[in-house]
Amino acid sequence: MEVAETPEELVSKQHRKEKKDLQAKIQSMKNAVPKNDKKRRKQLVDTIANGVEKLDLDVEEPKETKQSRTSKAQKRRDKKAALEKERESRIAEAEVMNLSGFRHQEKLKVSEKLAERQLQIREISSDGHCMYRAVEDQLGARGHALDLAQLRTLTAQHMRSHADDFLPFLTNPNTGDMYTAGEFEKYCSDVESTAAWGGQLELRALTQVLQMPIEVIQADSPTIVIGEEYKGAPITLIYMHHAYGLGEHYNSVEPLKEAPKEEES
């Protein structure tokens, strides 16, 4: 029993026949034009080129296949456009949520507290060093040249040399037991040479190293002053609970800048 040819096979078979006929026709045309007649030879070349191009166009994939592929490509484009629209919608929704969310409200409250003192937030990068960078920024404004690395080293050295003041406040999160000497040394080493986040213990160490008080302003809590025994204007830090979507973060402060005045009409 003879198997019926598929549409693709029929198209391919027709293509081969038309190509063979065209080649025969081309050869016949070449033979009919004298070799020394350049003008007619050029016309012949153009005619042959057009004929081959037409043949190629005529034997392109079946219309149904083309439409199928076009349809699939269009579906991919439509899907991509839909995903992009959804992404933009989510971004817009997140912005709206942020305006009424914890982070925005926290920043408003802090800004109001600072404005009463003619201060404003000075943003510090969120890289694990924020507390030390904020202290560095405050010291720089006063003409003290202590950088991030120096502040970390001084903090770690002070904690090591005053272990009895700091060790009782550090416990193993897995056991609840107070740090061993080895664990405490590892803690101090991380303070000195990694991006380990700094907290109140490190601030206490810094007040003692710098012989300066450090005040920490928060949105919903009274200002904390560490090192009240030291004289002089305190270093002022901002403690944010909801910054950058990462939770806790420290910023510095700077003098409040006047809003630009509107031009008179």
Side-chain angles (χ1 to χ4, degrees), residues 81-226:
L83 289 173
E84 180 63 20
K85 186 175 181 180
E86 183 182 355
R87 187 183 74 85
E88 291 176 355
S89 176
R90 286 180 179 176
I91 291 174
E93 184 179 347
E95 289 297 326
V96 172
M97 290 294 291
N98 183 46
L99 289 175
S100 60
F102 292 122
R103 188 170 78 180
H104 182 70
Q105 294 302 317
E106 180 181 45
K107 191 169 184 178
L108 282 179
K109 291 176 182 179
V110 169
S111 296
E112 288 173 1
K113 285 187 175 184
L114 292 177
E116 294 174 359
R117 299 170 54 177
Q118 294 299 299
L119 295 172
Q120 66 182 26
I121 297 173
R122 180 172 172 82
E123 299 285 350
I124 299 295
S125 61
S126 179
D127 59 2
H129 301 292
C130 60
M131 190 197 78
Y132 300 96
R133 290 194 189 281
V135 172
E136 177 187 10
D137 180 72
Q138 287 282 289
L139 291 174
R142 302 183 187 196
H144 299 289
L146 280 175
D147 63 21
L148 165 68
Q150 291 171 316
L151 289 171
R152 278 192 171 277
T153 296
L154 289 171
T155 301
Q157 289 176 345
H158 184 81
M159 293 179 75
R160 286 189 185 102
S161 60
H162 297 78
D164 291 343
D165 294 334
F166 298 97
L167 187 53
F169 298 98
L170 293 167
T171 57
N172 186 308
N174 297 320
T175 64
D177 297 331
M178 190 173 73
Y179 269 9
T180 64
E183 288 172 329
F184 181 66
E185 173 51 37
K186 172 66 167 56
Y187 184 92
C188 293
S189 179
D190 287 346
V191 167
E192 183 171 14
S193 56
T194 74
W197 195 84
Q200 286 204 32
L201 286 181
E202 288 74 26
L203 284 175
R204 166 59 66 180
L206 278 170
T207 63
Q208 294 170 357
V209 167
L210 300 171
Q211 300 284 290
M212 293 180 181
I214 296 177
E215 64 174 346
V216 181
I217 298 175
Q218 304 176 70
D220 297 309
S221 304
T223 297
I224 299 170
V225 180
I226 304 169

Side-chain angles (χ1 to χ4, degrees), residues 10-72:
L10 289 172
V11 169
S12 179
K13 185 176 180 180
Q14 178 66 22
H15 174 50
R16 287 196 300 271
K17 182 179 182 302
E18 289 179 357
K19 188 174 182 181
K20 186 177 180 180
D21 292 343
L22 179 61
Q23 287 173 339
K25 186 176 180 180
I26 288 171
Q27 188 59 46
S28 175
M29 292 169 67
K30 283 182 178 179
N31 294 336
V33 178
K35 291 184 178 180
N36 60 354
D37 192 336
K38 294 183 179 180
K39 184 176 180 181
R40 288 182 64 191
R41 297 288 289 188
K42 184 178 184 306
Q43 290 175 343
L44 175 61
V45 170
D46 293 339
T47 301
I48 291 170
N50 290 335
V52 173
E53 182 180 359
K54 183 177 184 304
L55 175 63
D56 288 342
L57 289 173
D58 288 343
V59 296
E60 282 183 349
E61 57 192 329
K63 187 176 181 181
E64 290 182 4
T65 305
K66 287 173 66 178
Q67 288 178 342
S68 174
R69 292 186 180 177
T70 301
S71 177
K72 288 179 180 178

Side-chain angles (χ1 to χ4, degrees), residues 69-82:
R69 292 186 180 177
T70 301
S71 177
K72 288 179 180 178
Q74 186 61 45
K75 284 179 181 178
R76 286 196 296 271
R77 287 193 292 270
D78 291 344
K79 184 178 180 181
K80 184 178 180 181

